[in-house]
Every structure is written in structure tokens, then in C-alpha cells.
Amino acid sequence: MHRINWSHTLIVSFLMMALAMVSGCAQPKTVDAVMSQARAKLERGDVAGAQRIAERALAAPDLDAQRPQLFTAWLQLLVEKGQAEAAAKALRIMAAQSGGDALADRGYTVLANHLATNGHWQALLACTESLDGPSLSPALAGRVALDGMLARIEVGDLRSALARMPALLEGEPSPDVRRLVMLLGDRLMRASDHESLTALQVQLRTAGAGRPAWAALSGIFDVSLAVAERQWDAAMAKWQVLNGLGDEMAARDALAGLLHALAAAGEEGRVDRLCVEAMAGKAAPRVQAEAAYRWLLQARRLKQPATLVDRMGLAIQSELPPSFLLMLYREFLYDILGADQIALAQTALAQSDQLAPRLAQPEQQESLRSLQFDVAFMAEDYARVLALLDGGLAGRDADWHAMARNKVLAHQALKAGQLDEAVARFRDFMSYVDRTWTAPAPDPSSGLRYTRDMALGFNARRIGDILLQQGATNEATASFREALTYYANALTNVAAGSREYQVVTNELGRLAIVP
């Protein structure tokens, strides 16, 4: 009988098991497993070891289907661990490999986004320079060129960026190249490097043969140079030339910059004139919209609510898109209401009625109704406010509607001289505030944020005024004392020096004579 050598068999089995275990550790089978091993190496400072793990996994046939996810995860891990140079090296190696274009594209997105988001412009510049070469796919080469230009501008190497700009201007205008041209021009202007800015204009005019968009960008810089030299009439004339080229975006951008500069220089007459000219029928819609906005903005800046409401009316009568007009109305309405003039509020309410039929979308109509609620209240058109409440206002619950109705009826009673009813309803409103207010509520017409105690103090003082008007001196004094208590509490909950603090202080001073 043949005798089995058990000791030899056990040794062979042990060696086979060990070999299997070693092989399993050396070659994980999933992306997560590979990254787990690589992460462990990086956390111990063994960058080379992590690279070997990733490179073996990327070359493994059984992981071929997972190569895109694997390579992206590897670069994400490297940038997460602050190994941007190692990531760039891995990217260069992949870009040089046959069939590695798609992976290089994905990986570059990871690396470039990380460097740009964190403001590592010098590192991004080095990365783009190391990748620049014939091995890149056309798509990746284009992205690398754009990012390289951006990085040069951000690190302040403006002359180098200027020297490389003609290569980007060879193709058809694109939003990305346009942004880079504008950014370079802006930085040259800020650096007062008018010589280089003029050279950029020459590049744009050269590239502009057959490509009007580049000529239009040159026109923007014509306006900018005139602004820099404070030659206002020349700047306005150059803008008119630019506007005639038919590039809507260029004309709008230059108009915005020019109007801002004119306003900053106190050239209000020129702002007014240019806005009116730009709103004329020949201008493109976006140019008209920019002019309308800046025209209203000027009236706000000069604190002229009557002028503002007049200009709002002219804008609403224009052919501007209804959605834009609704935005203008919402943006500037509370500047008008803040003047606390009933006549202006009444005009603004009538303007909203002119706008309403032009709004096609239900959500636009609901938005306007909410604004009409505020403006009708300030216009003391209480019947209109009640009608709006009857129709319901979006985003408001039944409790709010009941409170608002009571408050409107209180003001209506006060206006009609029904003082007992007004006092009772203002007391009901105070109960609502006391029960529901847990945070300050903004008053859109004044911009103040009323705390609970401010609102209670205001209404207690108002009730005291009404009672005093009725000759109920004792009851009025009690209400004034109540207001004093609320305002004293309010003073501890508003920031010192704030507008709210000033309002509370003024009210306390007014009530100081109360016995």
C-alpha cells in the first residue's frame, strides 16, 4: 500500500492558501476596495505605495469595466488628501495612453474644479502647462487652454494672457471665451494698463472680420476707456455706436457699466438722458430692460418716490416683457410705499391694475395680488383689501386671513370715526401677536423688523391715542403705561444703534411724560 506523506501535503496546502490570501490582498476586486487600500497608504504618507495600488488596479483586466469610476475616484482621493501634483501626474500618464482620452477628460474635470474652487490658481496654471501637448483630445485641449488663460489672469500674469489670447479668438465666439476676454479687459483696466487694453482691442478687431461678436467686445472696451478718462460724452457716443452693431449682450453689459460710472460720478442728468435714449424703440429688449431698471434705480438712489412712481408708470406702458415688469414692480414698490403718501400708493395701485391683464401665468397673478394687498392697504382702499382677502392670498392660512381681516376692519373703523370698534379690533390684533409671534416680522414699507414687544407697544400706544381722543383719560393713561412696559422690554431685544433701536427709543421718549 502506498503511504501518503501527510506532512508534505499539509505544507503544500498551507502554501497554496497563503498564496491565495496574498493574491487577494494584492488585487482587490471593487473600486471601493481599491480606494480603501490606497487611502490607508496615503494616510500613512506612503504616496508611492498608493500609486502602485491604483496603477495595478487600472491595469487589471477584471476591473476594466470599472476603469472610469476607478480613475475618477483615484483623482478625487488624491485632491482630497492634498496631492494635486500626484493627481496631475496621473492625469498626464492617462492622457498619453492609447484610449485614455475619455478617462483623462473625466479626471481633468475633477482636478481642475478642485483647484479653481479653492483658488489654487498657480497650481492650476502649472497643471495646464504640464498637460499642454499633442497627446490631448481636441475637447480636453480646448478646456485646458481656457483654464490656463483663466489661471494666468487670476495670478496677475496679464501680459502673458494677452499674448495667448489670439489663439482663443481663432474659433467662433463662445460664452467661455467671451467671459475670459471681458475678465482680461477688466483686469487691464483696473491695472490702468491702457496700452495692453488697446492691444486687446486690436486683437478683437482682427478676429472680428466676419465675426461681429468680437468687434462688439472691442466696442465695450472703447466705452470703458472713455469712462476711465471721464470723457462722459465720448463714452455715451461710443455706446451708441456699439448699440448699433446689433450685439444685444455687449450693448447691455456696456450700458450697465456706463450708467454705474455716471451715477458714481454724480452725473445724474446724463444717467437720465442715456436711460431715456436706451429705452427708445430701436434698442434691443435686454438693453431696454437694463435702461428701465437703472432709470428706476436712479430715482431710488435720489430718494424721489414721486419720480419713481412716474417712471414705474412709463415702464408699465412700455413693450417690456410682463414678467420683467412684474419684477420691477416688486423691486421698487416698497420704496414708493415707504414715502407714506396715500396719493402715491393710489397711483401705484392703479398701475398694478394696468399690469395685471398682461400677466399670463397664474403664479404671476398670485404674486401681483400679494403686492396689491400691501399697496391697497397703504392707499387706504380698505374695500379693495377686503376683496383680495375674500379671494384668498396664496401661502397664507385661515388664521392669518382672519387676523388680516380684523386688522383691516380696525383701520376702516378708525377712518370712519367708529372708535370703540377700532379699539376692540386693535386689541384682538394684539392678542394674535401675543399668541403667534415668535420671531421679528418685517414691515416691507419701512424695512423695519418689528419684534413682538415692538408690535404690542405700538398698538398699545395707538389705542391710548384713540382713547385720549375719546376723552377717556384714565383708560388712555393705562394703555400708555402698558406701551411703556412693552417698549422697555423691546429695547433689550434689538441691537443698539439699529433703526429698530432708534424707533423704540423715540417711542419711549414720547411716552416719558405719562404719569
Side-chain angles (χ1 to χ4, degrees), residues 305 308-310 312-313 316 326 329 332-334 336-337 341-357 359 367-388 393 415:
L308 184 55
V309 79
D310 287 343
M312 180 72 76
I316 288 175
L326 177 60
Y329 191 79
F332 293 101
L333 174 63
Y334 294 102
I336 296 169
L337 299 185
Q341 297 180 29
I342 294 175
L344 294 184
Q346 290 171 338
T347 302
L349 182 59
Q351 291 170 351
S352 75
D353 290 333
Q354 294 172 0
L355 176 59
L359 300 175
S367 178
L368 182 62
R369 280 170 51 81
S370 294
L371 298 173
Q372 287 176 321
F373 174 82
D374 287 341
V375 70
F377 185 85
M378 294 298 293
E380 297 188 3
D381 188 346
Y382 299 125
R384 180 70 178 274
V385 180
L386 292 171
L388 288 165
L393 294 178
K415 185 177 181 180

Side-chain angles (χ1 to χ4, degrees), residues 359-439:
L359 300 175
Q361 302 300 320
E363 59 270 19
Q364 293 176 333
Q365 290 283 351
E366 287 296 337
S367 178
L368 182 62
R369 280 170 51 81
S370 294
L371 298 173
Q372 287 176 321
F373 174 82
D374 287 341
V375 70
F377 185 85
M378 294 298 293
E380 297 188 3
D381 188 346
Y382 299 125
R384 180 70 178 274
V385 180
L386 292 171
L388 288 165
L389 288 172
D390 288 341
L393 294 178
R396 300 293 191 175
D397 60 18
D399 194 27
W400 182 90
H401 276 82
M403 175 277 299
R405 173 174 291 278
N406 174 73
K407 186 176 179 182
V408 174
L409 290 172
H411 283 274
Q412 191 175 55
L414 183 61
K415 185 177 181 180
Q418 298 165 352
L419 303 186
D420 288 341
E421 180 183 350
V423 167
R425 291 191 178 279
F426 283 128
R427 281 290 175 194
D428 285 345
F429 176 66
M430 290 179 67
S431 296
Y432 175 86
V433 171
D434 191 40
R435 184 178 78 254
T436 64
W437 281 28
T438 58

Side-chain angles (χ1 to χ4, degrees), residues 221-243:
F221 297 132
D222 280 335
V223 176
S224 298
L225 282 169
V227 166
E229 295 169 358
R230 300 176 70 85
Q231 296 179 358
W232 305 122
D233 289 336
M236 292 170 68
K238 290 179 183 296
W239 180 81
Q240 294 288 6
V241 172
L242 170 60
N243 190 40

Side-chain angles (χ1 to χ4, degrees), residues 308-340:
L308 184 55
V309 79
D310 287 343
R311 292 180 180 181
M312 180 72 76
L314 291 171
I316 288 175
Q317 294 168 20
S318 74
E319 297 301 318
L320 288 166
S323 58
F324 177 76
L325 293 174
L326 177 60
M327 183 279 291
L328 283 184
Y329 191 79
R330 183 188 303 112
E331 171 76 17
F332 293 101
L333 174 63
Y334 294 102
D335 294 274
I336 296 169
L337 299 185
D340 199 17

Side-chain angles (χ1 to χ4, degrees), residues 121-299:
W121 300 113
Q122 198 66 55
L124 180 58
L125 179 58
C127 176
T128 58
E129 289 178 336
S130 68
L131 286 171
D132 192 13
S135 63
L136 302 183
S137 68
L140 182 55
R143 292 172 59 200
V144 168
L146 291 173
D147 286 345
M149 177 64 75
L150 174 61
R152 282 187 176 85
I153 295 172
E154 292 293 352
V155 300
D157 192 1
L158 303 183
R159 293 292 180 98
S160 175
L162 179 65
R164 288 167 170 78
M165 185 59 77
L168 294 183
L169 299 179
E170 290 175 358
E172 289 301 317
S174 71
D176 288 334
V177 177
R178 178 191 174 94
R179 281 192 289 270
L180 287 173
V181 171
M182 294 302 297
L183 180 62
L184 177 57
D186 178 68
R187 297 296 171 83
L188 290 171
M189 181 68 71
R190 293 187 185 199
S192 298
D193 190 349
H194 295 178
E195 178 183 350
S196 294
L197 184 58
T198 301
L200 177 59
Q201 288 184 283
V202 171
Q203 293 177 359
L204 290 167
R205 292 193 184 102
T206 301
R211 298 189 184 96
W214 294 144
L217 289 187
S218 177
I220 291 179
F221 297 132
D222 280 335
V223 176
S224 298
L225 282 169
V227 166
E229 295 169 358
R230 300 176 70 85
Q231 296 179 358
W232 305 122
D233 289 336
M236 292 170 68
K238 290 179 183 296
W239 180 81
Q240 294 288 6
V241 172
L242 170 60
N243 190 40
L245 296 178
D247 189 311
E248 187 175 10
M249 294 296 292
R252 187 199 68 179
D253 292 347
L255 178 65
L258 175 53
L259 288 171
H260 178 77
L262 289 170
E267 296 287 340
E268 302 298 349
R270 287 187 168 92
V271 170
D272 188 20
R273 188 168 81 245
L274 183 56
C275 284
V276 171
E277 290 174 358
M279 288 173 66
K282 295 180 180 179
R286 290 179 180 174
V287 175
Q288 289 184 335
E290 185 69 32
Y293 177 76
R294 297 280 174 172
W295 203 37
L296 292 169
L297 195 64
Q298 181 193 37

